[in-house]
Amino acid sequence: MSDFDAIDSLLASLTPQPALPEAQVRRDLRERAGLSKAQVARTLGVNPSTVAGWETGRDPSGELRMKYAYLLDGLAVKLAPPADEASAPRPALDESTPAPAAGGGLAADDDMDDVEALAAPEPCVLCGQLARHQVAGFPQHLDPAQCATTAPAPDTPARRMEGRTAKPVKAVPAGRRARAVSDADPSGPIVAAVAEALEAHEGDVEAATAALVKRAIPDAMALLDDCRRGGRYAIVAHPWIPDILRKPSARGADQIWEARPRWTRPELPSGTHEVTALDINGAYLSALKTHLPLGQLEHTVGNVHDRRRAGVHLITPPAWEHGAHLPNPIGNRDEPGPLWVTEPTLRLLLRLSGPKYALCEPPEIHESFTSGATENLLEKFRIALKDARDTAIAGGDEVMLEYVKAMYSKFVSTMGESNYNRELYRPDWMHLIRSQAFANLWAKALKAHDAGLAVVRVMGTDELHVVGDWRRVFPEGRGVSEVKVKDVYSVGTASTGPAAAGQTDEN
């Protein structure tokens, strides 16, 4: 081959990268065709979360980009209206009025009790564009045509036979929706994975466990995709993130304070006391039930907290005067002044400043980055993991137990800036879930104190040391709503104190 032949061959191999439509158009085409992210993912050989990323701004490359562009071009052709329909003028739709029903005008039996007009347009929780109404307390477009996220399904004979008038789509959390028959056992994939690993390693428990823990992150993401099927809220994989949530360097930390407690009671009454170190089961698993922002975080200024939203807040924390028997809810922080905290920490401080507890003054909120939120975004995912964990404990299956622990703990720890999970980039969620675990532990410390126990130490997410009859306050066991004994030791004149007890890993 001559030099010129080699150059021609090289030039021929450089196939131009096909252009892709805007991210919102990609999503609109898929939803108008009635295709799920899972269907597109299977066809292209990728994960559904990858498709979600493409529909929120990321672009594929190489052969995947060519395949994706070919699919989108095909959908655009199939969904294009006939020439005579395309040329016909379309009536203008005034967004200030409710969308008409299929029969012309809103039907008398339409469920409009939860629909309210907004004084000023607010971002729709489903698509992020300005909407003039709210449904069930959430800003949302009433006309599906104006909200790409809720674009109507294709007009099929089955839909035409339903005979239903159009109604605004309620933003119902996925955890409250009816389950399909295929959802009867959401923990089934976990059981199957354990059985396959044991068979592949010929019953070698250690080898099977190591293999399952190694694949815990991709398996957790696959389970999440499966649990989110049919959910109202789409999980945005890579939204815009404010600088306060970005690490300045690989080893640096962002500006969010998680309020992790590391507290030891400064003084106990004289004498020797028997201390029980309690282990809180599944701390991160329980913390998956927390208020998570649905979409891109938006900046606001002022001392205002909207309980329908969640995110991070710059606050001046209140003075804490109960350090002799309870840790500060914001943890060990020596420097004064404002700091960025998460939603669970702020809600804990607001609750403690209320009339029920009156333990401190309300925190002062200076500015916030928040979005419309729900507490049930990961609920089905959490239940699937909890059911598998309960099954493992009941059957004495330590392989499954270690696998499930790895799935939820690694899922939480790698959804930020991590090389191990590139499908879900939500450092705000990571901080919120971890802070919820810390807030849950703090609440248990308060419960122990109110019940007359002496709280001796509070550590991290899962360690609570108390003096007194703790069994009348906390149920004992290995379930997520129970606690187990980690250690029993003495403090007082004959002991070196509670520092002798170490800290446990997340269980």
Side-chain angles (χ1 to χ4, degrees):
M1 179 183 292
S2 68
D3 291 343
F4 288 99
D5 289 336
I7 293 172
D8 288 339
S9 177
L10 177 62
L11 291 173
S13 68
L14 299 177
T15 306
Q17 291 289 298
L20 293 172
E22 295 294 326
Q24 192 60 59
V25 176
R26 305 170 196 176
R27 180 173 190 161
D28 179 58
L29 287 170
R30 176 181 61 77
E31 293 187 337
R32 285 171 56 202
L35 298 175
S36 68
K37 287 193 288 289
Q39 287 176 295
V40 174
R42 282 195 298 270
T43 302
L44 299 178
V46 297
N47 192 287
S49 294
T50 301
V51 177
W54 294 345
E55 294 181 351
T56 55
R58 286 192 298 162
D59 287 340
S61 59
E63 185 179 359
L64 267 180
R65 184 186 182 102
M66 296 178 65
K67 292 180 179 179
Y68 191 46
Y70 182 78
L71 171 65
L72 295 175
D73 288 344
L75 291 177
V77 171
K78 285 186 174 293
L79 295 173
D84 55 345
E85 291 184 19
S87 60
R90 302 185 71 177
L93 179 65
D94 182 2
E95 190 181 28
S96 63
T97 59
L106 288 170
D109 62 344
D110 273 346
D111 183 8
M112 299 296 291
D113 293 341
D114 291 335
V115 177
E116 299 177 8
L118 294 169
E122 296 183 19
C124 171
V125 295
L126 300 177
C127 73
Q129 302 301 315
L130 292 179
R132 297 179 179 274
H133 297 82
Q134 65 179 11
V135 183
F138 291 91
Q140 189 178 157
H141 291 99
L142 297 185
D143 178 16
Q146 294 180 344
C147 183
T149 303
T150 57
D155 186 25
T156 62
R159 283 185 62 84
R160 288 194 293 269
M161 290 178 63
E162 287 179 350
R164 299 175 182 174
T165 55
K167 297 183 181 182
V169 180
K170 281 194 176 184
V172 181
R176 291 172 57 186
R177 296 169 67 88
R179 294 187 180 185
V181 175
S182 60
D183 297 331
D185 184 14
S187 62
I190 299 175
V191 177
V194 173
E196 291 172 4
L198 286 170
E199 182 179 359
H201 293 86
E202 299 179 341
D204 187 330
V205 170
E206 291 186 4
T209 302
L212 288 167
V213 169
K214 187 175 182 180
R215 55 181 271 193
I217 296 173
D219 285 2
M221 294 304 300
L223 179 65
L224 176 63
D225 285 331
D226 188 58
C227 289
R228 290 298 305 159
R229 193 175 301 163
R232 166 56 56 198
Y233 304 124
I235 292 182
V236 180
H238 296 263
W240 172 84
I241 294 294
D243 287 341
I244 58 170
L245 280 157
R246 298 185 183 276
K247 294 181 179 180
S249 63
R251 296 188 176 182
D254 59 33
Q255 299 179 45
I256 308 303
W257 180 263
E258 288 184 344
R260 182 192 295 260
R262 189 179 181 87
W263 174 86
T264 300
R265 190 184 188 105
E267 186 176 351
L268 280 169
S270 59
T272 302
H273 304 274
E274 183 179 85
V275 179
T276 303
L278 298 175
D279 213 1
I280 310 302
N281 300 320
Y284 280 165
L285 181 56
S286 297
L288 292 177
K289 190 175 182 64
T290 188
H291 292 85
L292 293 176
L294 299 173
Q296 182 171 292
L297 300 179
E298 299 165 353
H299 184 245
T300 56
V301 178
N303 191 19
V304 178
H305 178 248
D306 186 345
R307 296 188 64 85
R308 298 172 302 173
R309 301 176 67 84
V312 293
H313 309 266
L314 181 66
I315 70 166
T316 295
W320 185 251
E321 300 176 352
H322 311 282
H325 50 265
L326 282 173
N328 193 321
I330 68 164
N332 299 14
R333 183 174 184 265
D334 297 329
E335 59 273 22
L339 74 163
W340 285 98
V341 300
T342 63
E343 191 70 28
T345 302
L346 176 62
R347 292 189 183 226
L348 175 60
L349 289 171
L350 291 173
R351 189 162 66 250
L352 297 180
S353 67
K356 181 177 179 180
Y357 298 104
L359 292 175
C360 61
E361 294 296 320
E364 181 182 1
I365 305 172
H366 304 288
E367 54 181 305
S368 304
F369 283 98
T370 63
S371 173
T374 176
E375 197 177 14
N376 295 309
L377 192 65
L378 302 178
E379 183 64 359
K380 190 175 176 184
F381 178 64
R382 184 188 70 84
I383 291 174
L385 291 169
K386 176 185 175 296
D387 288 349
R389 186 181 185 277
D390 291 344
T391 299
I393 292 173
D397 190 341
E398 293 300 322
V399 177
M400 183 187 293
L401 184 59
E402 292 304 315
Y403 176 43
V404 173
K405 288 180 183 179
M407 287 179 75
Y408 62 74
S409 62
K410 291 178 181 290
F411 170 77
V412 174
S413 63
T414 63
M415 67 172 64
E417 296 186 50
S418 169
N419 292 327
Y420 300 99
N421 187 353
R422 296 181 181 273
E423 296 182 10
L424 184 61
Y425 178 64
R426 291 303 300 246
D428 51 338
W429 290 7
M430 178 188 71
H431 284 302
L432 265 68
I433 293 170
R434 284 161 54 165
S435 293
Q436 184 64 61
F438 309 150
N440 291 345
L441 177 64
W442 197 96
K444 284 183 169 57
L446 178 62
K447 181 178 181 179
H449 171 74
D450 288 346
L453 305 181
V455 180
V456 175
R457 169 168 277 195
V458 179
M459 300 286 286
T461 63
D462 60 358
E463 192 170 335
L464 176 64
H465 298 213
V466 295
V467 173
D469 183 9
W470 58 270
R471 286 184 175 85
R472 63 181 174 83
V473 182
F474 303 110
E476 184 176 8
R478 300 182 69 183
V480 293
S481 61
E482 300 169 327
V483 302
K484 59 179 179 287
V485 176
K486 175 193 171 184
D487 191 16
V488 178
Y489 60 94
S490 296
V491 295
T493 56
S495 174
T496 57
Q503 184 176 0
T504 63
D505 293 331
E506 159 61 19
N507 53 39

